[in-house]
Amino acid sequence: MSAHAAMPVQSSRPGPLSGLSARLGLPVALIALPVVIGVCYGFWAASINRRGGEVTGANIALGLVSGAVIAALGLGLLMIQGRLPRELRAAAFGALFGAGTGFLYAQSGESVFGASMMGALLGGGMAAAAFYVFYTRE
């Protein structure tokens, strides 16, 4: 005797991010992306700051705070990007990228001027690339 195929049943229980997704009006993947980037950024900032030495509480705190800030700013930018014109949206993505990379460069022991210039150059490149993508897709 053959068995009957069972019909798949949709779970009525929401996932862990579905409530947040509904409140923010963003898909779950767009919420997860800044969180993953924030975790990677925090690990990277902490590892640069410790300079090959042992892990300290200050390194962990720096990683947690910097990762949380990048994740929050990225999520905030994703929430308002639809209301911004393409030029301002590209500038916002460039500013976030430039500030983030400038901060990481400063953690390596470089001067404030060098880190600022590196952040400005990379942020300008990101803004130009983002503007090109937004302009050709809209």
Side-chain angles (χ1 to χ4, degrees):
M1 299 213 137
S2 62
H4 294 286
M7 293 296 293
V9 178
Q10 292 282 338
S11 173
S12 61
R13 202 173 107 203
L17 291 178
S18 64
L20 181 64
S21 174
R23 278 196 308 258
L24 296 178
L26 293 171
V28 175
L30 275 182
I31 294 173
L33 183 65
V35 171
V36 170
I37 290 173
V39 167
C40 294
Y41 187 88
F43 277 127
W44 196 358
S47 69
I48 290 173
N49 184 264
R50 76 181 175 97
R51 292 181 176 85
E54 60 186 42
V55 177
T56 63
N59 292 344
I60 294 171
L62 176 76
L64 289 174
V65 170
S66 61
V69 166
I70 285 293
L73 289 174
L75 185 61
L77 183 56
L78 287 177
M79 288 174 56
I80 66 165
Q81 75 172 345
R83 296 187 292 261
L84 297 175
R86 71 175 73 106
E87 296 86 6
L88 190 57
R89 188 176 357 150
F93 277 105
L96 181 61
F97 184 78
T101 54
F103 175 74
L104 287 179
Y105 193 66
Q107 292 302 308
S108 67
E110 288 295 321
S111 68
V112 174
F113 180 74
S116 300
M117 294 312 308
M118 183 64 71
L121 288 173
L122 291 174
M126 176 64 172
F131 179 74
Y132 173 77
V133 169
F134 298 149
Y135 189 76
T136 58
R137 310 255 169 155
E138 292 178 357

mmCIF file of all heavy atoms in Angstrom, residues 21-53:
data_model
loop_
_atom_site.group_PDB
_atom_site.id
_atom_site.type_symbol
_atom_site.label_atom_id
_atom_site.label_comp_id
_atom_site.label_asym_id
_atom_site.label_seq_id
_atom_site.Cartn_x
_atom_site.Cartn_y
_atom_site.Cartn_z
ATOM 1 N N SER A 21 10.339 43.297 11.263
ATOM 2 C CA SER A 21 10.211 43.553 9.827
ATOM 3 C C SER A 21 8.904 44.273 9.515
ATOM 4 O O SER A 21 8.871 45.192 8.713
ATOM 5 C CB SER A 21 10.296 42.237 9.061
ATOM 6 O OG SER A 21 10.051 42.440 7.706
ATOM 7 N N ALA A 22 7.837 43.846 10.153
ATOM 8 C CA ALA A 22 6.547 44.488 9.911
ATOM 9 C C ALA A 22 6.528 45.921 10.442
ATOM 10 O O ALA A 22 5.966 46.819 9.819
ATOM 11 C CB ALA A 22 5.436 43.673 10.561
ATOM 12 N N ARG A 23 7.139 46.147 11.608
ATOM 13 C CA ARG A 23 7.159 47.492 12.182
ATOM 14 C C ARG A 23 7.998 48.459 11.347
ATOM 15 O O ARG A 23 7.648 49.622 11.204
ATOM 16 C CB ARG A 23 7.701 47.459 13.608
ATOM 17 C CG ARG A 23 6.689 47.081 14.636
ATOM 18 C CD ARG A 23 7.174 47.448 16.030
ATOM 19 N NE ARG A 23 8.500 46.933 16.298
ATOM 20 C CZ ARG A 23 8.776 45.863 17.019
ATOM 21 N NH1 ARG A 23 7.802 45.172 17.546
ATOM 22 N NH2 ARG A 23 10.016 45.476 17.225
ATOM 23 N N LEU A 24 9.128 47.983 10.835
ATOM 24 C CA LEU A 24 10.008 48.864 10.070
ATOM 25 C C LEU A 24 9.615 48.973 8.607
ATOM 26 O O LEU A 24 10.077 49.861 7.903
ATOM 27 C CB LEU A 24 11.455 48.364 10.168
ATOM 28 C CG LEU A 24 12.076 48.377 11.559
ATOM 29 C CD1 LEU A 24 13.473 47.812 11.508
ATOM 30 C CD2 LEU A 24 12.076 49.769 12.141
ATOM 31 N N GLY A 25 8.801 48.053 8.127
ATOM 32 C CA GLY A 25 8.380 48.079 6.739
ATOM 33 C C GLY A 25 9.466 47.625 5.776
ATOM 34 O O GLY A 25 9.492 48.039 4.625
ATOM 35 N N LEU A 26 10.387 46.807 6.256
ATOM 36 C CA LEU A 26 11.469 46.294 5.430
ATOM 37 C C LEU A 26 11.439 44.774 5.426
ATOM 38 O O LEU A 26 11.036 44.164 6.413
ATOM 39 C CB LEU A 26 12.829 46.740 5.984
ATOM 40 C CG LEU A 26 13.157 48.214 5.936
ATOM 41 C CD1 LEU A 26 14.425 48.492 6.712
ATOM 42 C CD2 LEU A 26 13.314 48.679 4.514
ATOM 43 N N PRO A 27 11.889 44.141 4.360
ATOM 44 C CA PRO A 27 12.000 42.678 4.371
ATOM 45 C C PRO A 27 13.050 42.223 5.383
ATOM 46 O O PRO A 27 13.955 42.974 5.749
ATOM 47 C CB PRO A 27 12.443 42.327 2.952
ATOM 48 C CG PRO A 27 12.246 43.536 2.140
ATOM 49 C CD PRO A 27 12.209 44.702 3.055
ATOM 50 N N VAL A 28 12.933 40.984 5.812
ATOM 51 C CA VAL A 28 13.843 40.452 6.825
ATOM 52 C C VAL A 28 15.288 40.475 6.326
ATOM 53 O O VAL A 28 16.208 40.758 7.084
ATOM 54 C CB VAL A 28 13.409 39.021 7.227
ATOM 55 C CG1 VAL A 28 14.403 38.395 8.170
ATOM 56 C CG2 VAL A 28 12.035 39.053 7.869
ATOM 57 N N ALA A 29 15.500 40.217 5.047
ATOM 58 C CA ALA A 29 16.863 40.210 4.503
ATOM 59 C C ALA A 29 17.510 41.590 4.598
ATOM 60 O O ALA A 29 18.711 41.699 4.848
ATOM 61 C CB ALA A 29 16.850 39.738 3.058
ATOM 62 N N LEU A 30 16.732 42.650 4.419
ATOM 63 C CA LEU A 30 17.290 43.992 4.530
ATOM 64 C C LEU A 30 17.561 44.389 5.971
ATOM 65 O O LEU A 30 18.368 45.277 6.218
ATOM 66 C CB LEU A 30 16.364 45.024 3.880
ATOM 67 C CG LEU A 30 16.535 45.201 2.386
ATOM 68 C CD1 LEU A 30 15.609 46.288 1.867
ATOM 69 C CD2 LEU A 30 17.955 45.507 2.019
ATOM 70 N N ILE A 31 16.902 43.744 6.912
ATOM 71 C CA ILE A 31 17.201 44.004 8.316
ATOM 72 C C ILE A 31 18.437 43.216 8.728
ATOM 73 O O ILE A 31 19.273 43.690 9.492
ATOM 74 C CB ILE A 31 15.994 43.649 9.202
ATOM 75 C CG1 ILE A 31 14.842 44.594 8.895
ATOM 76 C CG2 ILE A 31 16.359 43.723 10.676
ATOM 77 C CD1 ILE A 31 13.565 44.235 9.586
ATOM 78 N N ALA A 32 18.568 42.009 8.214
ATOM 79 C CA ALA A 32 19.701 41.161 8.577
ATOM 80 C C ALA A 32 21.013 41.674 7.994
ATOM 81 O O ALA A 32 22.071 41.488 8.596
ATOM 82 C CB ALA A 32 19.446 39.733 8.129
ATOM 83 N N LEU A 33 20.978 42.314 6.847
ATOM 84 C CA LEU A 33 22.201 42.772 6.200
ATOM 85 C C LEU A 33 22.986 43.772 7.058
ATOM 86 O O LEU A 33 24.191 43.569 7.272
ATOM 87 C CB LEU A 33 21.887 43.357 4.820
ATOM 88 C CG LEU A 33 23.085 43.812 4.003
ATOM 89 C CD1 LEU A 33 23.960 42.627 3.641
ATOM 90 C CD2 LEU A 33 22.617 44.537 2.762
ATOM 91 N N PRO A 34 22.390 44.845 7.586
ATOM 92 C CA PRO A 34 23.174 45.751 8.436
ATOM 93 C C PRO A 34 23.643 45.089 9.729
ATOM 94 O O PRO A 34 24.709 45.430 10.239
ATOM 95 C CB PRO A 34 22.220 46.907 8.750
ATOM 96 C CG PRO A 34 21.129 46.808 7.798
ATOM 97 C CD PRO A 34 21.061 45.403 7.328
ATOM 98 N N VAL A 35 22.880 44.127 10.228
ATOM 99 C CA VAL A 35 23.297 43.433 11.449
ATOM 100 C C VAL A 35 24.546 42.604 11.178
ATOM 101 O O VAL A 35 25.514 42.637 11.955
ATOM 102 C CB VAL A 35 22.140 42.565 11.997
ATOM 103 C CG1 VAL A 35 22.612 41.683 13.125
ATOM 104 C CG2 VAL A 35 20.987 43.446 12.438
ATOM 105 N N VAL A 36 24.563 41.879 10.075
ATOM 106 C CA VAL A 36 25.737 41.075 9.723
ATOM 107 C C VAL A 36 26.937 41.977 9.443
ATOM 108 O O VAL A 36 28.062 41.693 9.878
ATOM 109 C CB VAL A 36 25.422 40.171 8.512
ATOM 110 C CG1 VAL A 36 26.673 39.513 7.972
ATOM 111 C CG2 VAL A 36 24.396 39.121 8.899
ATOM 112 N N ILE A 37 26.710 43.072 8.739
ATOM 113 C CA ILE A 37 27.797 44.015 8.477
ATOM 114 C C ILE A 37 28.303 44.610 9.790
ATOM 115 O O ILE A 37 29.516 44.770 9.980
ATOM 116 C CB ILE A 37 27.341 45.116 7.495
ATOM 117 C CG1 ILE A 37 27.148 44.520 6.112
ATOM 118 C CG2 ILE A 37 28.330 46.274 7.454
ATOM 119 C CD1 ILE A 37 26.544 45.467 5.105
ATOM 120 N N GLY A 38 27.413 44.932 10.716
ATOM 121 C CA GLY A 38 27.823 45.468 12.013
ATOM 122 C C GLY A 38 28.645 44.488 12.819
ATOM 123 O O GLY A 38 29.630 44.868 13.471
ATOM 124 N N VAL A 39 28.282 43.211 12.790
ATOM 125 C CA VAL A 39 29.048 42.191 13.521
ATOM 126 C C VAL A 39 30.451 42.066 12.918
ATOM 127 O O VAL A 39 31.455 42.051 13.647
ATOM 128 C CB VAL A 39 28.306 40.838 13.503
ATOM 129 C CG1 VAL A 39 29.199 39.710 13.966
ATOM 130 C CG2 VAL A 39 27.058 40.912 14.365
ATOM 131 N N CYS A 40 30.532 41.981 11.605
ATOM 132 C CA CYS A 40 31.845 41.889 10.935
ATOM 133 C C CYS A 40 32.680 43.137 11.200
ATOM 134 O O CYS A 40 33.885 43.058 11.471
ATOM 135 C CB CYS A 40 31.663 41.680 9.443
ATOM 136 S SG CYS A 40 30.919 40.109 9.009
ATOM 137 N N TYR A 41 32.051 44.300 11.142
ATOM 138 C CA TYR A 41 32.754 45.561 11.382
ATOM 139 C C TYR A 41 33.279 45.618 12.819
ATOM 140 O O TYR A 41 34.406 46.056 13.053
ATOM 141 C CB TYR A 41 31.804 46.726 11.119
ATOM 142 C CG TYR A 41 32.455 48.085 11.168
ATOM 143 C CD1 TYR A 41 33.029 48.626 10.039
ATOM 144 C CD2 TYR A 41 32.478 48.826 12.339
ATOM 145 C CE1 TYR A 41 33.624 49.879 10.069
ATOM 146 C CE2 TYR A 41 33.070 50.067 12.387
ATOM 147 C CZ TYR A 41 33.642 50.598 11.249
ATOM 148 O OH TYR A 41 34.232 51.825 11.289
ATOM 149 N N GLY A 42 32.466 45.177 13.779
ATOM 150 C CA GLY A 42 32.901 45.178 15.168
ATOM 151 C C GLY A 42 34.083 44.256 15.405
ATOM 152 O O GLY A 42 35.036 44.612 16.114
ATOM 153 N N PHE A 43 34.047 43.056 14.830
ATOM 154 C CA PHE A 43 35.186 42.142 14.944
ATOM 155 C C PHE A 43 36.440 42.752 14.312
ATOM 156 O O PHE A 43 37.535 42.650 14.856
ATOM 157 C CB PHE A 43 34.885 40.804 14.279
ATOM 158 C CG PHE A 43 34.124 39.851 15.152
ATOM 159 C CD1 PHE A 43 32.952 39.281 14.699
ATOM 160 C CD2 PHE A 43 34.580 39.513 16.411
ATOM 161 C CE1 PHE A 43 32.241 38.411 15.486
ATOM 162 C CE2 PHE A 43 33.876 38.635 17.211
ATOM 163 C CZ PHE A 43 32.709 38.077 16.752
ATOM 164 N N TRP A 44 36.266 43.370 13.166
ATOM 165 C CA TRP A 44 37.392 43.959 12.459
ATOM 166 C C TRP A 44 37.989 45.116 13.265
ATOM 167 O O TRP A 44 39.218 45.219 13.408
ATOM 168 C CB TRP A 44 36.940 44.432 11.095
ATOM 169 C CG TRP A 44 38.023 44.715 10.116
ATOM 170 C CD1 TRP A 44 39.378 44.636 10.321
ATOM 171 C CD2 TRP A 44 37.863 45.139 8.767
ATOM 172 N NE1 TRP A 44 40.047 44.971 9.188
ATOM 173 C CE2 TRP A 44 39.156 45.282 8.211
ATOM 174 C CE3 TRP A 44 36.762 45.392 7.979
ATOM 175 C CZ2 TRP A 44 39.351 45.695 6.912
ATOM 176 C CZ3 TRP A 44 36.967 45.796 6.678
ATOM 177 C CH2 TRP A 44 38.245 45.943 6.151
ATOM 178 N N ALA A 45 37.147 45.990 13.799
ATOM 179 C CA ALA A 45 37.636 47.125 14.589
ATOM 180 C C ALA A 45 38.372 46.646 15.833
ATOM 181 O O ALA A 45 39.429 47.176 16.190
ATOM 182 C CB ALA A 45 36.477 48.041 14.972
ATOM 183 N N ALA A 46 37.826 45.633 16.496
ATOM 184 C CA ALA A 46 38.467 45.119 17.699
ATOM 185 C C ALA A 46 39.806 44.458 17.375
ATOM 186 O O ALA A 46 40.780 44.602 18.127
ATOM 187 C CB ALA A 46 37.549 44.131 18.406
ATOM 188 N N SER A 47 39.858 43.733 16.271
ATOM 189 C CA SER A 47 41.119 43.057 15.935
ATOM 190 C C SER A 47 42.187 44.046 15.501
ATOM 191 O O SER A 47 43.370 43.852 15.787
ATOM 192 C CB SER A 47 40.885 42.010 14.852
ATOM 193 O OG SER A 47 40.564 42.619 13.627
ATOM 194 N N ILE A 48 41.809 45.114 14.817
ATOM 195 C CA ILE A 48 42.789 46.140 14.449
ATOM 196 C C ILE A 48 43.286 46.841 15.693
ATOM 197 O O ILE A 48 44.481 47.095 15.851
ATOM 198 C CB ILE A 48 42.176 47.163 13.458
ATOM 199 C CG1 ILE A 48 41.944 46.525 12.106
ATOM 200 C CG2 ILE A 48 43.089 48.377 13.307
ATOM 201 C CD1 ILE A 48 41.202 47.424 11.140
ATOM 202 N N ASN A 49 42.389 47.124 16.619
ATOM 203 C CA ASN A 49 42.746 47.870 17.813
ATOM 204 C C ASN A 49 43.681 47.094 18.730
ATOM 205 O O ASN A 49 44.543 47.688 19.373
ATOM 206 C CB ASN A 49 41.479 48.281 18.564
ATOM 207 C CG ASN A 49 41.774 49.137 19.756
ATOM 208 O OD1 ASN A 49 41.870 48.639 20.866
ATOM 209 N ND2 ASN A 49 41.925 50.430 19.519
ATOM 210 N N ARG A 50 43.546 45.801 18.793
ATOM 211 C CA ARG A 50 44.393 45.044 19.730
ATOM 212 C C ARG A 50 45.804 44.839 19.203
ATOM 213 O O ARG A 50 46.704 44.496 19.966
ATOM 214 C CB ARG A 50 43.735 43.732 20.124
ATOM 215 C CG ARG A 50 43.759 42.657 19.143
ATOM 216 C CD ARG A 50 43.029 41.420 19.675
ATOM 217 N NE ARG A 50 42.979 40.428 18.643
ATOM 218 C CZ ARG A 50 43.823 39.425 18.543
ATOM 219 N NH1 ARG A 50 44.740 39.260 19.461
ATOM 220 N NH2 ARG A 50 43.739 38.583 17.547
ATOM 221 N N ARG A 51 46.018 45.029 17.906
ATOM 222 C CA ARG A 51 47.353 45.005 17.290
ATOM 223 C C ARG A 51 48.126 43.723 17.598
ATOM 224 O O ARG A 51 49.311 43.759 17.908
ATOM 225 C CB ARG A 51 48.158 46.215 17.724
ATOM 226 C CG ARG A 51 47.618 47.512 17.186
ATOM 227 C CD ARG A 51 48.464 48.686 17.614
ATOM 228 N NE ARG A 51 47.995 49.901 17.020
ATOM 229 C CZ ARG A 51 47.021 50.660 17.525
ATOM 230 N NH1 ARG A 51 46.403 50.293 18.617
ATOM 231 N NH2 ARG A 51 46.661 51.762 16.923
ATOM 232 N N GLY A 52 47.465 42.597 17.531
ATOM 233 C CA GLY A 52 48.126 41.314 17.727
ATOM 234 C C GLY A 52 48.355 40.931 19.172
ATOM 235 O O GLY A 52 48.898 39.860 19.439
ATOM 236 N N GLY A 53 47.959 41.764 20.093
ATOM 237 C CA GLY A 53 48.130 41.453 21.512
ATOM 238 C C GLY A 53 46.972 40.621 22.031
ATOM 239 O O GLY A 53 46.192 40.047 21.266
#
